[in-house]
C-alpha cells in the first residue's frame, strides 16, 4: 500500500509541475517577466508578497492593473512600497504597459535604457528614489509618453536633447537632482507641455528663446540653478503661464515688461538674482497675480506697484533691493486682498505709510532696515488682522500708541533699533496672543508694566539698551512659556522676584548692566531648561543657593562685577558649561576640581576674588579652553604641567597671586597663546627660551617676580609681540639684539633689574614703539644710541638711574611725540637738545656736565674756562702790539732824525745864501723844501705812546666781544 501512495504522490507532483511550467515557465508570458523583475527588488514590507507562481491570476497581484481582457498588464504602481534594489531592464518585455510608477522608494542604480522600448508608455514616475547616472537618451523613443517625473534622485549629466521627441509630453519634472549643462533648445518642440520643473540642479547657460514654442505651458520652475543672462522677453508669449519661478540664479538685466502680458499668471518669483533697474509699472496689469517675490536683487527706483488691478495680490516680497522714495498714496486701495508685505532692507523713507491702514486684510508687515521716521499713527489698530509688525532698524520716534493694545491678533512685535521714547503702554497687556516683543536699542523709559505679564503666551522679551527703571514685575512668573528674558542695560533696580523661578521654560536670562540687588532666589533651581544666565554689573550679594547645582543644562554663566560671596561650587552642577565668568566678586574657598568635567569650557574667569589653595590639575582636561583668568586671588603652589594640555588657550592670566616655582618650559608649547601674565607672583629662575615658540604672543607680563639670568635670545621669535614687561626682577646681562625682530612692539618695560652693557642700537628699529621705553634702574653704560631718534611714535622714554655717558644724541630731539622724558642720574654731558627745553628739571638731574634749558646756560657753566682762555689770548695780542708799536716808533724816530739833520743843513745853507728861496730837483721834479707836508703840525704828530694805548684799547674791545 505504501508503494501505491508513493506512486500517486509522484504522479500528482508531476501534474502540478507540468501545469506550472505550462502557465508560468513560458518566457513569453508577462508573469514570467514580472517574477524576474521581482527578483531584483528587495521587499522588506511585503508589497510583492502575492507575486507568486502559485497565484495564476496575475491581475490580482499587488500594484498591477490589467486591460479589460484581463490578458495584458497596462499599469504597475508600487509607489511608496519601501522597495530597494535596482530597476530591472526586463520591464521592456511588458510591451502593453501604459503607466509605471515606482516613485517614493529606495531604488538605486541607473534608469535602464531598455525602458525606451515601452512604446505604449504614457506615464513614467521614478521620482524620490536614489537613482543615479544620466537620463538615457532612449527615453526619447517613448513617443506616447505624457508624464515623465524623475526628480528627487541623484541623476547627473545633461538633460538629453532627445526629450524634444516626446511630442505628447505634458509634464516633465527633474527637480532636485544633480543635472548640469543647459536647458536644451529642443524643449521648445514640446507643444503640449504644461509643466516644466527643473528646480534645484546645476543647470547653467541662458533660458532658450525657443521655450516660447511651449504654447500650453502653465508651470515653469527653474529656481536654484546657475542660469545666467537676461530673462527672455519671449516668455511673455506663454499666455497660459500661471507659475513662473526663476529664483536663486544669476539672471541679470531688467525685468522684461513683456511679463505683463501673462494675464493668467498667479505666481511670479524672481528672488535671488542680479536683476537691476526699476520694477516695471506694467506689472500692475497682472490682475490674477497672487504672490510676487522680487527680493534679493538690485532693483532701484520707486515702488510703483499695487493698484486697483492687483486686487488678487496676497503676498508682495520686495526685500533686499535698493528701492527708494516712500510708499505711494494709492497703495492698497479698497478691496485689496494683500496679506503679506515685505519691504525690508531697502532705501525707503518717509513716515509710517498711512496707506497701509486701508489694507484691512493685511497680516504681516515688514518695513525693517529702511529710513522711515516719525511717530506711529494712533489709528494703527485699524489693522485688526495684523499678526506680525516688523519695523526694526528705522528712525521711528515718539511713544508707542496705546491703541496697539487693541490689535488682538498681534503675535510678533519687532520695534528694536529705533528712537522710541516714553513708557510702554499698559494696554499692551491686552494682547493675549502676543508671543514675541523686541524693543531693544530704543530710548524707552519708565517701569515695565505689570500688565505685560497678562500676555501669558509670551515666549520672548527683549528690552535691552533702554532706560526702563523700577523693579522687575513680581508677577513675571505668570509667563509660563517664556524662553528668553533679555533686560540687559537698563536702570532696573530691586531684587529678582522669586516668581521668576516659575518660568520653567526659560532658556536665556540676561539681567546684566542694571542696578539690581539682593540675592538669587532659591526658586532658580526650578529653571531646569536654563542655558544662559548673565547678571554682571549689578549689586547682587550673598552666597549662591546650593540648589543652583540642579541646573544641569547651564552653558553660559556670567556673574562678574557683583558682590557675591561664599563658594562657587553651586555653579558647577552642569557638565555642559562653555563660559563661567565670576570676575570681581568676593568668592572664597578653593577652585572646584569638578570644573574639569566641563570639557566644552572655553572661558573660565575667576579673577579678582578671594580664592585660595592651588590650581587644580583637573583644569588640564579643558582642552577647548581659550581664556583662563585666575588673577588677583590668593592662590599658592606651582603652575602644574597638566595645563599644557590646553593647547587652544589664548589668554593665560595668573597674575597677582602667590604662585611660586620656576616658569615651566611647556609654556612654549601653547601655540595659540596671545597673552601671558604671570606678574606679581613669586616665580624664580630664568625666563624659559621655549617661550620663543609662542609665535602668536601679543602681551608678555612677567614683572614683579624673582626671575634671574639673561633675557633669552629667542625672545626675537615673538614677532607679533606688542607689550614686553619684565620690570622689577633680578635679570642680568645684555638686552638681546634679536629684539629688533619684534617690530610690532609698542611697549617695553625692563626697569629695576641688573641689566648691563650698552643699550642696543637695534632698539631704534622697533619703530612702532609708542607707549613707553623704560630701561631705568639698571646698569647700562656707554652712550645713548642715536638710533633711538627713529622712534617717532614714542611717548615716554625713561633711561634714568644707569651709567650712561656722553652727550644726548641730537637725533632724540626729533621725538616730537615724547611727553615724558627721564635721563636723570647718569653721567651725561654736553648740550641738551633744544626741543627738550619744555621738560621739567627732574628729567636731567644728577648728570656730570649737562647744560642748556631747563638746566643752566652752557656759557655760564663754562664762563671761567672761557675767561682764562681769553686772558691768554689778550696777553699774546698785547705782546704783539707792543713789539709792533716799538718797531714803528723806532722807524719814525729814525725818519725824524734824518729830517732834522737835513733841516739843519738847509738852515745853514740859507744863512750862507741869504733869503733867496732854494729849490732842488729830485728825480726830475722840483722839491719845495719848505713844504708843510714834511713837517706836520703839532696836532698831527703821531706819538708812540698814543699808538700803544690805542692798540691796547682795541684788544680789550675784542676781549669784551668774545665774552659777550
Amino acid at each position: 500500500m505504501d508503494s501505491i501512495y508513493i506512486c500517486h504522490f509522484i504522479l500528482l507532483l508531476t501534474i502540478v509541475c507540468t501545469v506550472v511550467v505550462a502557465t508560468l515557465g513560458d518566457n513569453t508570458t508577462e508573469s514570467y517577466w514580472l517574477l524576474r523583475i521581482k527578483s531584483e527588488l528587495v521587499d522588506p514590507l511585503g508589497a510583492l508578497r502575492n507575486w507568486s507562481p502559485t497565484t495564476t491570476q496575475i491581475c490580482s497581484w499587488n500594484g498591477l492593473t490589467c486591460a479589460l481582457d484581463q490578458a495584458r498588464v497596462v499599469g504597475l504602481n508600487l509607489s511608496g512600497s519601501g522597495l530597494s534594489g535596482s530597476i530591472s531592464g526586463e520591464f521592456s518585455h511588458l510591451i502593453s504597459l501604459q503607466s509605471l510608477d515606482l516613485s517614493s522608494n529606495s531604488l538605486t542604480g541607473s534608469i535602464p535604457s531598455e525602458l525606451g522600448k515601452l512604446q505604449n508608455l504614457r506615464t513614467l514616475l521614478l521620482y524620490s528614489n536614489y537613482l543615479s547616472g544620466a537620463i538615457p537618451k532612449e527615453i526619447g523613443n517613448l513617443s506616447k509618453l505624457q508624464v515623465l517625473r524623475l526628480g528627487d534622485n541623484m541623476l547627473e549629466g545633461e538633460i538629453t536633447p532627445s526629450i524634444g521627441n516626446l511630442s505628447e509630453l505634458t509634464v516633465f519634472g527633474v527637480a532636485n537632482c544633480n543635472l548640469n549643462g543647459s536647458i536644451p533648445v529642443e524643449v521648445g518642440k514640446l507643444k503640449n507641455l504644461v509643466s516644466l520643473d527643473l528646480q534645484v540642479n546645476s543647470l547653467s547657460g541662458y533660458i532658450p528663446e525657443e521655450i516660447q514654442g511651449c504654447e500650453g505651458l502653465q508651470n515653469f520652475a527653474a529656481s536654484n540653478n546657475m542660469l545666467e543672462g537676461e530673462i527672455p522677453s519671449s516668455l511673455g508669449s506663454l499666455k497660459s503661464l500661471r507659475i513662473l519661478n526663476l529664483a536663486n540664479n544669476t539672471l541679470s538685466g531688467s525685468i522684461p515688461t513683456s511679463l505683463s502680458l501673462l494675464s493668467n499668471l498667479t505666481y511670479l518669483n524672481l528672488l535671488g538674482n542680479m536683476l537691476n533697474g526699476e520694477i516695471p509699472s506694467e506689472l500692475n496689469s497682472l490682475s490674477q497675480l497672487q504672490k510676487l517675490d522680487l527680493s534679493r536683487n538690485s532693483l532701484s527706483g520707486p515702488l510703483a506697484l499695487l493698484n486697483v488691478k492687483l486686487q488678487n495680490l496676497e503676498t508682495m516680497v520686495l526685500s533686499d533691493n535698493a528701492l527708494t522714495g516712500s510708499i505711494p498714496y494709492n497703495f492698497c486701495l479698497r478691496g485689496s486682498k494683500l496679506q503679506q508685505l515685505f519691504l525690508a532692507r531697502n532705501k525707503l523713507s518717509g513716515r509710517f505709510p498711512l496707506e497701509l491702514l486701508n489694507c484691512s486684510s493685511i497680516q504681516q508687515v515688514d518695513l525693517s532696515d529702511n529710513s522711515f521716521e516719525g511717530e506711529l499713527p494712533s489709528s494703527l489698530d485699524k489693522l485688526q488682522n495684523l499678526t506680525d509688525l516688523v519695523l526694526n532698524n528705522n528712525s521711528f520716534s515718539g511713544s508707542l500708541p496705546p491703541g496697539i493694545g487693541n490689535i488682538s491678533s498681534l503675535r510678533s512685535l519687532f520695534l528694536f533699533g529705533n528712537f522710541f521714547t516714553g513708557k510702554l503702554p499698559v494696554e499692551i497687556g491686552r494682547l493675549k496672543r502676543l508671543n514675541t516683543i523686541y524693543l531693544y536699542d530704543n530710548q524707552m523709559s519708565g517701569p515695565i508694566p505689570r500688565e505685560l505679564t497678562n500676555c501669558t503666551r509670551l515666549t520672548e522679551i527683549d528690552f535691552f539698551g533702554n532706560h526702563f527703571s523700577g523693579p522687575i514685575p513680581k508677577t513675571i512668573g505668570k509667563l509660563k512659556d517664556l524662553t528668553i528674558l533679555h533686560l540687559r542695560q537698563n536702570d532696573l533696580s530691586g531684587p529678582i522676584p522669586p516668581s521668576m523661578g516659575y518660568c520653567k521654560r526659560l532658556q536665556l536670562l540676561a539681567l546684566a548692566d542694571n542696578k539690581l540687588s539682593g540675592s538669587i532666589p532659591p526658586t532658580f533651581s526650578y529653571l531646569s531648561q536654563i542655558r544662559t544666565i548673565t547678571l554682571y554689573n549689578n549689586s547682587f550679594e550673598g552666597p549662591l543657593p546650593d540648589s543652583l547645582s540642579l541646573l544641569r543644562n547651564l552653558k553660559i554663566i556670567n556673574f562678574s562685577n557683583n558682590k557675591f560671596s561664599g563658594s562657587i561650587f553651586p555653579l558647577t552642577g552642569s557638565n555642559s558649561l562653555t563660559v563661567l565668568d565670576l570676575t570681581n566678586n568676593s568668592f572664597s574657598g578653593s577652585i572646584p576640581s569638578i570644573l574639569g568635567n566641563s570639557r566644552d569650557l572655553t572661558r573660565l574667569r575667576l579673577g579678582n576674588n578671594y580664592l585660595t589653595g592651588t590650581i587644580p590639575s583637573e583644569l588640564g582636561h579643558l582642552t577647548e579652553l581659550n581664556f583662563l583668568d585666575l588673577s588677583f586671588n590668593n592662590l599658592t603652589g606651582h603652575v602644574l604641567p597638566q595645563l599644557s594640555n590646553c593647547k587652544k588657550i589664548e589668554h593665560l592670566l595668573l597674575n597677582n597671586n602667590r604662585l611660586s616655582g620656576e616658569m615651566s618650559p611647556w609654556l612654549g608649547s601653547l601655540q595659540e597663546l596671545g597673552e601671558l601674565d604671570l606678574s606679581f607672583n613669586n616665580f624664580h629662575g630664568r625666563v624659559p627660551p621655549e617661550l620663543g615658540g609662542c609665535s602668536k604672543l601679543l602681551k608678555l607680563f612677567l614683572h614683579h617676580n624673582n626671575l634671574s639670568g639673561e633675557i633669552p635670545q629667542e625672545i626675537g621669535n615673538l614677532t607679533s609681540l606688542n607689550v614686553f614687561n619684565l620690570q622689577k626682577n633680578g635679570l642680568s646681562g645684555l638686552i638681546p639684539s634679536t629684539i629688533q625682530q619684534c617690530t610690532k612692539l609698542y611697549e617695553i618695560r625692563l626697569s629695576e633689574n641688573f641689566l648691563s652693557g650698552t643699550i642696543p642700537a637695534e632698539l631704534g628699529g622697533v619703530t612702532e614703539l609708542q607707549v613707553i621705553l623704560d630701561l631705568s634702574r639698571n646698569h647700562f653704560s656707554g652712550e645713548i644710541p642715536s638710533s633711538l631718534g627713529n622712534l617717532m611714535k614714542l611717548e615716554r622714554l625713561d633711561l634714568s638711574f644707569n651709567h650712561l655717558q656722553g652727550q644726548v644724541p641730537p637725533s632724540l630731539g626729533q621725538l616730537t611725540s615724547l611727553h615724558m622724558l627721564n635721563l636723570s642720574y647718569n653721567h651725561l654731558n654736553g648740550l641738551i637738545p633744544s626741543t627738550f627745553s619744555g621738560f621739567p628739571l627732574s628729567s636731567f638731574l644728577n648728570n656730570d656736565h649737562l647744560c642748556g634749558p631747563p638746566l643752566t646756560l652752557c656759557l655760564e657753566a663754562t664762563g671761567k674756562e672761557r675767561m682764562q682762555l681769553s686772558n691768554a689770548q689778550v696777553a699774546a695780542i698785547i705782546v704783539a702790539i707792543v713789539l709792533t708799536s716799538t718797531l714803528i716808533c723806532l722807524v719814525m724816530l729814525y725818519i725824524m732824525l734824518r729830517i732834522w739833520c737835513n733841516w739843519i743843513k738847509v738852515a745853514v745853507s740859507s744863512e750862507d745864501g741869504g733869503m733867496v728861496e732854494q729849490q732842488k730837483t729830485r728825480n726830475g721834479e722840483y722839491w719845495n723844501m719848505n713844504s708843510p707836508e714834511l713837517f706836520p703840525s703839532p696836532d698831527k704828530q703821531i706819538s708812540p705812546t698814543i699808538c700803544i694805548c690805542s692798540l691796547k684799547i682795541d684788544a680789550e674791545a675784542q676781549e669784551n666781544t668774545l665774552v659777550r
Side-chain angles (χ1 to χ4, degrees):
M1 292 293 293
D2 290 340
S3 60
I4 294 173
Y5 287 128
I6 291 173
C7 291
H8 288 169
F9 176 75
I10 292 173
L11 180 60
L12 179 61
L13 184 60
T14 302
I15 294 171
V16 170
C17 290
T18 302
V19 171
V20 169
V21 171
T23 59
L24 300 180
D26 186 358
N27 61 8
T28 62
T29 64
E30 292 184 333
S31 58
Y32 171 81
W33 299 115
L34 288 169
L35 291 176
R36 292 285 298 269
I37 291 169
K38 175 184 177 181
S39 66
E40 297 187 32
L41 298 174
V42 178
D43 180 21
L45 302 181
L48 306 180
R49 186 181 298 110
N50 67 343
W51 286 31
S52 171
T54 59
T55 307
T56 57
Q57 296 297 323
I58 64 172
C59 292
S60 64
W61 290 6
N62 183 44
L64 296 185
T65 301
C66 291
L68 295 177
D69 58 6
Q70 298 294 302
R72 293 168 293 122
V73 176
V74 296
L76 174 57
N77 184 353
L78 295 174
S79 177
S81 298
L83 300 174
S84 58
S86 60
I87 300 175
S88 172
E90 309 293 4
F91 273 107
S92 62
H93 296 284
L94 304 178
I95 58 175
S96 299
L97 203 60
Q98 299 177 17
S99 175
L100 176 59
D101 188 354
L102 299 177
S103 62
S104 302
N105 283 290
S106 300
L107 301 173
T108 57
S110 61
I111 300 174
S113 59
E114 290 85 351
L115 293 184
K117 298 178 181 180
L118 299 176
Q119 293 298 312
N120 292 304
L121 200 62
R122 289 173 170 78
T123 301
L124 178 58
L125 306 178
L126 303 180
Y127 63 87
S128 297
N129 279 287
Y130 297 98
L131 301 173
S132 58
I135 300 174
K137 63 181 180 179
E138 289 79 4
I139 289 291
N141 298 331
L142 303 176
S143 58
K144 296 182 180 179
L145 197 62
Q146 298 175 359
V147 178
L148 176 59
R149 297 184 60 190
L150 308 177
D152 196 18
N153 275 291
M154 302 168 64
L155 301 173
E156 55 190 10
E158 299 185 0
I159 299 175
T160 175
S162 66
I163 202 75
N165 299 332
L166 306 179
S167 58
E168 301 295 324
L169 198 63
T170 59
V171 176
F172 180 44
V174 288
N176 292 283
C177 290
N178 298 315
L179 300 173
N180 53 37
S182 59
I183 301 174
V185 296
E186 288 79 5
V187 167
K189 298 179 181 180
L190 305 178
K191 306 292 185 182
N192 295 308
L193 196 62
V194 173
S195 177
L196 176 60
D197 192 353
L198 309 176
Q199 299 179 95
V200 195
N201 280 286
S202 298
L203 299 174
S204 58
Y206 299 152
I207 300 173
E209 292 278 354
E210 289 80 0
I211 200 169
Q212 62 184 321
C214 304
E215 300 171 353
L217 195 61
Q218 297 180 17
N219 174 24
F220 178 31
S223 62
N224 295 284
N225 280 284
M226 296 184 290
L227 300 174
E228 57 187 346
E230 296 186 356
I231 299 173
S233 58
S234 59
L235 286 178
S237 64
L238 301 177
K239 304 298 185 181
S240 300
L241 202 62
R242 298 173 58 84
I243 296 174
L244 178 58
N245 187 355
L246 302 177
N248 295 319
N249 282 283
T250 55
L251 299 170
S252 58
S254 59
I255 300 173
T257 57
S258 62
L259 296 186
S260 63
L261 303 176
L262 302 176
S263 57
N264 291 307
L265 201 64
T266 60
Y267 181 92
L268 176 58
N269 191 346
L270 303 179
L271 80 89
N273 281 285
M274 302 169 61
L275 302 172
N276 53 40
E278 296 186 3
I279 301 173
S281 59
E282 289 84 355
L283 296 185
N284 281 308
S285 63
L286 299 177
S287 59
Q288 299 300 314
L289 196 62
Q290 297 175 8
K291 298 184 184 300
L292 172 66
D293 193 341
L294 306 179
S295 60
R296 289 174 44 207
N297 280 285
S298 299
L299 301 171
S300 58
L303 177 61
L305 289 177
L306 204 64
N307 60 23
V308 69
K309 291 184 179 180
L310 286 179
Q311 287 192 347
N312 287 309
L313 192 64
E314 298 175 357
T315 301
M316 179 189 289
V317 186
L318 304 178
S319 303
D320 297 286
N321 279 289
L323 301 175
T324 56
S326 58
I327 295 179
Y329 72 93
N330 60 346
F331 186 86
C332 206
L333 299 176
R334 289 186 181 276
S336 170
K337 297 180 181 178
L338 191 65
Q339 297 177 11
Q340 289 90 25
L341 177 63
F342 301 108
L343 302 177
R345 292 171 295 281
N346 278 283
K347 299 178 181 180
L348 299 170
S349 58
R351 303 177 71 83
F352 184 88
L354 296 177
E355 293 75 19
L356 286 182
L357 302 182
N358 296 325
C359 300
S360 58
S361 59
I362 203 160
Q363 299 176 6
Q364 296 173 303
V365 175
D366 186 353
L367 306 181
S368 62
D369 294 277
N370 280 285
S371 300
F372 290 109
E373 58 186 357
E375 298 185 5
L376 297 184
S378 58
S379 56
L380 191 63
D381 54 353
K382 285 185 176 181
L383 304 178
Q384 282 299 301
N385 293 304
L386 194 64
T387 61
D388 301 278
L389 181 60
V390 184
L391 305 179
N392 53 277
N393 295 325
N394 279 284
S395 298
F396 289 115
S397 58
S399 57
L400 298 186
I404 201 169
N406 297 327
I407 309 175
S408 58
S409 58
L410 200 60
R411 295 179 303 190
S412 300
L413 186 59
F414 293 90
L415 304 179
F416 61 88
N418 282 286
F419 299 102
F420 288 115
T421 57
K423 298 180 179 180
L424 183 63
V426 296
E427 289 81 1
I428 205 85
R430 300 174 186 170
L431 303 177
K432 303 300 183 181
R433 298 181 182 179
L434 192 67
N435 56 44
T436 303
I437 179 169
Y438 277 19
L439 302 179
Y440 65 84
D441 283 334
N442 278 287
Q443 299 174 13
M444 301 186 71
S445 59
I448 298 176
R450 186 189 62 175
E451 288 78 3
L452 181 64
T453 62
N454 294 332
C455 305
T456 53
R457 292 190 184 181
L458 271 171
T459 60
E460 299 179 23
I461 298 176
D462 193 339
F463 292 171
F464 161 77
N466 281 280
H467 303 291
F468 288 111
S469 58
I472 300 171
K474 293 181 179 180
T475 54
I476 193 74
K478 293 169 62 177
L479 305 180
K480 306 294 185 183
D481 294 326
L482 199 62
T483 60
I484 294 177
L485 179 58
H486 202 315
L487 304 179
R488 184 167 76 89
Q489 201 171 311
N490 280 282
D491 296 316
L492 300 172
S493 58
I496 298 175
S499 70
M500 189 176 290
Y502 301 112
C503 302
K504 296 183 179 181
R505 296 187 180 181
L506 202 60
Q507 298 180 19
L508 184 150
L509 175 61
L511 304 180
D513 295 306
N514 279 287
K515 301 174 182 177
L516 298 168
S517 58
S519 59
I520 295 180
T523 54
F524 262 39
S525 61
Y526 301 149
L527 304 178
S528 58
Q529 298 184 35
I530 194 81
R531 298 182 178 214
T532 299
I533 303 180
T534 59
L535 306 181
Y536 56 89
N537 295 340
N538 279 288
S539 298
F540 292 114
E541 58 187 3
L544 303 175
D546 291 336
S547 57
L548 291 184
S549 61
L550 300 175
L551 304 181
R552 306 292 188 185
N553 291 309
L554 270 173
K555 291 182 176 292
I556 298 174
I557 302 174
N558 192 338
F559 288 2
S560 61
N561 298 303
N562 279 285
K563 302 175 184 177
F564 288 113
S565 59
S567 172
I568 67 176
F569 185 82
L571 297 177
T572 61
S574 171
N575 293 335
S576 303
L577 285 176
T578 59
V579 175
L580 178 60
D581 191 343
L582 306 180
T583 308
N584 199 19
N585 279 282
S586 298
F587 288 110
S588 58
S590 60
I591 300 174
S593 59
I594 195 173
L595 281 174
N597 294 336
S598 296
R599 301 301 175 90
D600 294 327
L601 198 62
T602 60
R603 295 172 67 87
L604 177 59
R605 304 199 62 180
L606 306 177
N608 288 85
N609 281 286
Y610 299 103
L611 300 173
T612 56
T614 60
I615 300 173
S617 61
E618 288 80 1
L619 296 188
H621 298 157
L622 305 178
T623 55
E624 299 297 318
L625 199 64
N626 62 41
F627 204 126
L628 177 60
D629 180 5
L630 305 180
S631 61
F632 292 94
N633 280 287
N634 295 313
L635 300 173
T636 56
H638 297 175
V639 180
L640 299 177
Q642 286 85 348
L643 285 180
S644 64
N645 297 325
C646 306
K647 300 297 185 184
K648 295 183 180 181
I649 200 162
E650 299 176 10
H651 304 269
L652 180 57
L653 310 181
L654 304 178
N655 52 291
N656 295 81
N657 279 285
R658 292 185 289 160
L659 300 170
S660 58
E662 295 189 352
M663 287 183 59
S664 302
W666 57 259
L667 287 169
S669 67
L670 303 178
Q671 297 294 311
E672 301 299 319
L673 196 62
E675 181 179 14
L676 176 62
D677 194 343
L678 303 180
S679 61
F680 290 97
N681 278 289
N682 298 316
F683 292 110
H684 64 271
R686 62 175 189 154
V687 178
E690 289 81 1
L691 273 182
C694 301
S695 59
K696 296 183 179 180
L697 199 62
L698 300 175
K699 297 180 180 179
L700 179 59
F701 300 99
L702 303 179
H703 55 94
H704 290 83
N705 278 287
N706 298 314
L707 299 173
S708 59
E710 297 185 352
I711 301 174
Q713 294 282 339
E714 289 78 3
I715 214 73
N717 297 334
L718 305 179
T719 54
S720 298
L721 199 63
N722 297 148
V723 179
F724 185 39
N725 192 339
L726 299 181
Q727 66 186 25
K728 205 161 186 179
N729 278 286
L731 298 170
S732 58
L734 307 175
I735 297 177
S737 60
T738 55
I739 199 169
Q740 65 180 324
Q741 297 166 203
C742 305
T743 56
K744 297 181 180 179
L745 273 169
Y746 61 78
E747 181 176 342
I748 298 178
R749 298 176 187 265
L750 301 177
S751 63
E752 298 187 69
N753 280 285
F754 301 105
L755 299 172
S756 58
T758 59
I759 297 174
E762 289 82 359
L763 276 176
V766 189
T767 54
E768 292 300 312
L769 206 58
Q770 177 178 350
V771 176
I772 191 171
L773 173 59
D774 188 355
L775 306 180
S776 64
R777 297 182 185 275
N778 279 285
H779 299 306
F780 292 113
S781 57
E783 296 185 350
I784 300 173
S786 60
S787 62
L788 295 188
N790 298 329
L791 307 179
M792 301 301 294
K793 298 180 181 180
L794 193 63
E795 297 175 354
R796 291 185 286 172
L797 176 62
D798 193 346
L799 305 178
S800 62
F801 291 93
N802 279 287
H803 305 297
L804 300 173
Q805 303 169 349
Q807 297 185 348
V808 180
S811 61
L812 293 192
Q814 303 172 11
L815 303 181
T816 56
S817 298
L818 210 61
H819 59 74
M820 192 284 284
L821 175 67
N822 195 348
L823 303 177
S824 62
Y825 292 90
N826 280 287
H827 304 297
L828 301 171
N829 59 55
L831 183 65
I832 297 172
S834 59
T835 53
F836 288 171
S837 61
F839 288 107
L841 188 65
S842 58
S843 296
F844 309 101
L845 289 177
N846 288 84
N847 279 283
D848 290 345
H849 300 294
L850 277 181
C851 64
L855 300 177
T856 57
L857 296 176
C858 289
L859 290 176
E860 294 175 6
T862 60
K864 185 176 181 180
E865 295 178 19
R866 292 196 174 191
M867 183 64 71
Q868 292 173 353
L869 181 61
S870 298
N871 289 340
Q873 291 175 339
V874 170
I877 292 171
I878 290 174
V879 170
I881 291 173
V882 169
L883 290 174
T884 303
S885 300
T886 302
L887 181 61
I888 292 172
C889 290
L890 289 174
V891 171
M892 294 202 55
L893 181 60
Y894 171 76
I895 294 172
M896 290 179 67
L897 287 174
R898 288 289 304 271
I899 294 173
W900 176 259
C901 290
N902 290 332
W903 184 76
I904 292 296
K905 287 181 180 182
V906 170
V908 171
S909 175
S910 177
E911 289 178 357
D912 291 343
M915 298 299 293
V916 180
E917 181 178 340
Q918 299 289 325
Q919 294 181 342
K920 294 180 70 176
T921 304
R922 185 181 183 189
N923 295 330
E925 299 178 355
Y926 287 102
W927 186 13
N928 188 352
M929 298 300 294
N930 294 322
S931 173
E933 299 296 330
L934 296 176
F935 304 98
S937 61
D939 60 334
K940 292 184 179 181
Q941 292 180 357
I942 300 174
S943 170
T945 304
I946 293 173
C947 292
I948 292 172
C949 291
S950 175
L951 290 172
K952 186 174 182 182
I953 291 170
D954 290 342
E956 289 177 350
Q958 182 181 5
E959 179 185 1
N960 290 335
T961 301
L962 290 174
V963 172
R964 286 197 299 270

